[in-house]
């Protein structure tokens, strides 16, 4: 009765390991089922599949380089976005100042117009009152 199990199933018995190429191999282990003991040989992979030697041109260096390039790209785009945001803010500020100036000019023109019309109305009212006062004076003399 031959069964295969992963390295996690080995619960008791002899367990040795020896290096074989790139992977760490787990040696011999035994598992007990009732009265029978089965001998199981299990190969167990090394936990880290990435070799981290510097300057080998390995996968880790490639990942680090790609990460740095991506980070630099995002940083550059963020700086560009901030510059564009500053330009937009300056544009909006400039347009607000222009709108304020235009509103002030319009308000000043409206004030001048109202003042002029008020003076004209006051003058007409004064002329009317003078005319009526003259008529009343003449009416009292006669």
């Amino acid at each position: 009765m031959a069964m295969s199990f992963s390295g996690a199933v080995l619960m008791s018995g002899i367990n040795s390991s020896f290096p074989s190429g790139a992977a760490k191999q787990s040696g011999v282990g035994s598992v007990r089922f009732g009265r029978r003991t089965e001998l199981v040989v299990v190969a167990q992979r090394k936990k880290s599949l990435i070799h981290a030697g510097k300057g080998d041109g390995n996968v880790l260096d490639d990942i680090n380089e790609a990460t740095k390039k991506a980070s630099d790209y995002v940083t550059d785009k963020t700086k560009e976005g901030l510059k564009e945001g500053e330009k937009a803010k300056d544009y909006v500020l400039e347009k607000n100042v222009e709108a304020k100036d235009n509103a002030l000019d319009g308000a000043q023109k409206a004030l001048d117009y109202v003042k002029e019309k008020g003076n004209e109305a006051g003058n007409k009212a004064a002329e009317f009152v003078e005319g009526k006062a003259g008529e009343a004076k003449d009416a009292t003399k006669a």
Side-chain angles (χ1 to χ4, degrees):
M1 179 174 173
M3 299 178 147
S4 66
F5 295 92
S6 70
V9 174
L10 296 176
M11 301 179 79
S12 64
I14 305 168
N15 189 7
S16 64
S17 62
F18 55 93
S20 172
K24 180 180 177 184
Q25 300 292 327
S26 194
V28 178
S30 64
V31 179
R32 182 171 216 151
F33 295 100
R35 292 189 218 180
R36 284 182 78 174
T37 301
E38 296 287 331
L39 184 64
V40 181
V41 177
V42 179
Q44 183 178 4
R45 289 189 176 258
K46 188 175 178 183
K47 289 183 182 178
S48 174
L49 297 178
I50 299 174
H51 300 287
K54 285 285 186 183
D56 293 350
N58 59 33
V59 175
L60 188 58
D61 288 341
D62 294 342
I63 291 172
N64 286 339
E65 184 179 334
T67 302
K68 181 165 179 10
K69 283 181 182 178
S71 176
D72 291 345
Y73 177 79
V74 169
T75 301
D76 291 343
K77 290 299 175 183
T78 301
K79 286 178 182 176
E80 287 176 19
L82 289 173
K83 285 179 187 175
E84 292 298 319
E86 279 295 318
K87 286 181 186 177
K89 183 184 89 172
D90 292 343
Y91 177 79
V92 168
L93 184 62
E94 179 183 332
K95 291 301 176 185
N96 281 340
V97 169
E98 286 178 16
K100 179 183 151 202
D101 291 344
N102 288 340
L104 287 174
D105 289 345
Q108 187 62 45
K109 286 179 183 176
L111 177 64
D112 292 343
Y113 178 79
V114 168
K115 220 176 182 182
E116 181 183 328
K117 292 300 177 184
N119 286 340
E120 287 177 11
N123 289 341
K124 285 184 181 180
E127 288 174 10
F128 178 77
V129 169
E130 284 177 4
K132 291 298 178 181
E135 288 177 16
K137 188 176 182 185
D138 291 342
T140 55
K141 287 184 182 176

